Amino acid sequence: MTQISLRAYNQEIDRLIGQGQLEEAIAHCRYILKQFPKHLETYRLLGKACLEGQRYAEAADIFQRVLAVVPDDYVANLGMSVIRENEGNLDAAIWHMERAFEVQPSNRVVQDEMGRLYKR
């Protein structure tokens, strides 16, 4: 059996997500989480893959799990902002985007998204 580090495995999953191979990425994340049920980076990737696949309820559940452990998690707050905006909950979308901004205040994308949300 081929050996691969968990970090390299997660990088490969992120690459799969970037290529739109979401079901494969989700399957790999679930496999890892069976072996390492507390691995936060894999949860982030699973949430990202679900979000990209517009599986909003599942993505929200995953991101909430991450936020329960790391309340200021950048990826989870960004993902939750997208989900809440999609649900029409603008206040919650802004709240999560503000949390992402607190973690990366110089991130231009986050600044732009906050401005866009405020205008809405």
Side-chain angles (χ1 to χ4, degrees):
M1 178 174 245
T2 303
Q3 297 267 333
I4 185 171
S5 72
L6 190 52
R7 178 178 295 162
Y9 197 0
N10 276 322
Q11 289 171 343
E12 179 63 21
I13 292 169
D14 197 30
R15 188 187 63 75
L16 289 172
I17 294 168
Q19 293 177 340
Q21 297 175 326
L22 304 175
E23 293 305 317
E24 187 175 349
I26 289 169
H28 284 292
C29 286
R30 289 192 174 134
Y31 173 78
I32 290 172
L33 290 171
K34 284 182 183 177
Q35 313 306 314
F36 303 97
K38 296 181 181 182
H39 194 253
L40 280 176
E41 183 57 30
T42 303
Y43 273 105
R44 285 184 193 102
L45 289 170
L46 179 56
K48 182 178 173 182
C50 290
L51 182 62
E52 291 289 324
Q54 297 181 349
R55 295 161 72 165
Y56 297 121
E58 193 173 349
D61 177 55
I62 298 301
F63 288 139
Q64 290 292 358
R65 291 178 194 199
V66 172
L67 292 171
V69 177
V70 185
D72 64 345
D73 187 85
Y74 174 76
V75 172
N77 275 302
L78 204 58
M80 287 303 297
S81 179
V82 171
I83 292 165
R84 295 303 180 227
E85 182 181 12
N86 181 267
E87 294 171 346
N89 187 343
L90 193 56
D91 288 339
I94 290 170
W95 189 88
H96 282 287
M97 190 59 69
E98 288 173 342
R99 302 299 73 80
F101 175 78
E102 289 170 355
V103 175
Q104 292 191 13
S106 62
N107 186 315
R108 192 73 187 141
V109 173
V110 173
Q111 292 171 0
D112 293 344
E113 281 298 301
M114 276 187 43
R116 186 185 62 77
L117 288 171
Y118 284 146
K119 287 177 185 175
R120 284 194 64 205

